[in-house]
Amino acid sequence: MMEWMELERQCTECQKCALAETRTNVVFGVGSKEAKVLFIGEGPGEQEDLKGEPFVGRAGKLLDDMLELIHLNRKNIYIANMVKCRPPKNRDPRPEEQEACLPWLRNQAALLQPEIIVCLGRIAAMRIINPNFKITKEHGIWFEKNGCQVMALYHPAALLRDPNRRPETFEDLKKLEKRIQLLCPETFSLGD
Ligand code: URA
């Protein structure tokens, strides 16, 4: 296991899969290194690739609004992706790309030791919770993984495409807020 500085240094030089050839920037992750709540998205899109930061495009704006609804912000959680480089044309990351990238995320999780993991969308949920995960049926349900509480939310990009899913997501967010209050209430003031 590497410490943060070395991990980020090596990660930004990664050549372990073909996405390295087409990326502009590696999108390592943002947030508090003391965070007890880890959000995991799918992979960088165009804006993220250009900026080197996760969730800075339209879906990112919605994610910020979702966080605000439950009194969270980017400074009191940590946000990362299943793959750290943009898949061309925003296609789903391939299994071999996800496997190649997973050790970076595992090391981040080992450093953070989160109480709660939130999977944003089915790609993260299928890898973290269960390969047969059905986002339409299983969003908002708590799972336990190595002593960590894990739930999936609809991906903010899916909520942009289908606003009908927003009320359910609001309920899921409220569940998340309650569990943070129970397990790691210090989250709400981290980074102030
Ligand atoms: N979608 C993701 O899953 N991650 C990002 O960082 C941006 C958009």
Side-chain angles (χ1 to χ4, degrees):
M1 186 171 98
M2 284 176 266
E3 295 303 324
W4 284 108
M5 283 232 317
E6 181 62 9
L7 183 67
E8 183 159 3
R9 193 187 64 74
Q10 290 199 19
C11 184
T12 51
E13 293 174 358
C14 182
Q15 299 284 340
K16 287 184 195 164
C17 84
L19 298 181
E21 290 157 32
T22 49
R23 74 177 178 231
T24 312
N25 286 296
V26 171
V27 179
F28 180 71
V30 287
S32 170
K33 295 181 170 67
E34 270 82 58
K36 289 292 151 199
V37 183
L38 170 60
F39 279 67
I40 305 176
E42 178 177 325
E46 185 181 21
Q47 297 306 312
E48 291 78 19
D49 173 67
L50 291 172
K51 262 198 141 181
E53 208 181 308
F55 287 98
V56 290
R58 227 158 71 83
K61 290 279 166 296
L62 181 54
L63 178 61
D64 285 331
D65 293 344
M66 290 160 67
L67 293 173
E68 202 181 313
L69 279 174
I70 55 169
H71 314 102
L72 294 176
N73 61 57
R74 281 176 191 242
K75 292 198 184 75
N76 44 45
I77 60 170
Y78 196 88
I79 308 176
N81 281 307
M82 288 310 304
V83 296
K84 303 205 180 305
C85 299
R86 183 192 181 199
K89 299 179 187 158
N90 300 344
R91 63 162 169 74
D92 286 353
R94 296 188 174 127
E96 68 270 22
E97 293 160 352
Q98 292 190 47
E99 288 315 305
C101 207
L102 200 57
W104 302 121
L105 182 62
R106 278 197 202 288
N107 199 328
Q108 287 173 306
L111 290 167
L112 291 166
Q113 298 199 261
E115 299 273 3
I116 294 174
I117 294 178
V118 181
C119 299
L120 294 168
R122 55 177 273 276
I123 296 284
M126 286 171 75
R127 191 62 190 74
I128 311 267
I129 301 174
N130 158 8
N132 299 312
F133 192 86
K134 293 281 176 287
I135 190 81
T136 49
K137 293 210 174 101
E138 296 176 288
H139 67 85
I141 297 176
W142 287 108
F143 297 84
E144 200 263 356
K145 209 86 199 187
N146 307 319
C148 190
Q149 295 289 302
V150 189
M151 101 150 39
L153 297 173
Y154 280 118
H155 194 286
L159 297 173
L160 288 173
R161 283 193 301 270
D162 186 357
N164 292 329
R165 293 173 173 177
R166 287 188 189 206
E168 299 163 77
T169 302
F170 183 72
E171 296 306 314
D172 297 347
L173 284 165
K174 286 292 168 189
K175 281 194 197 173
L176 172 60
E177 182 182 26
K178 282 212 184 78
R179 195 139 307 191
I180 296 173
Q181 196 62 259
L182 194 70
L183 295 180
C184 42
E186 67 278 15
T187 295
F188 296 105
S189 54
L190 237 185
D192 283 358

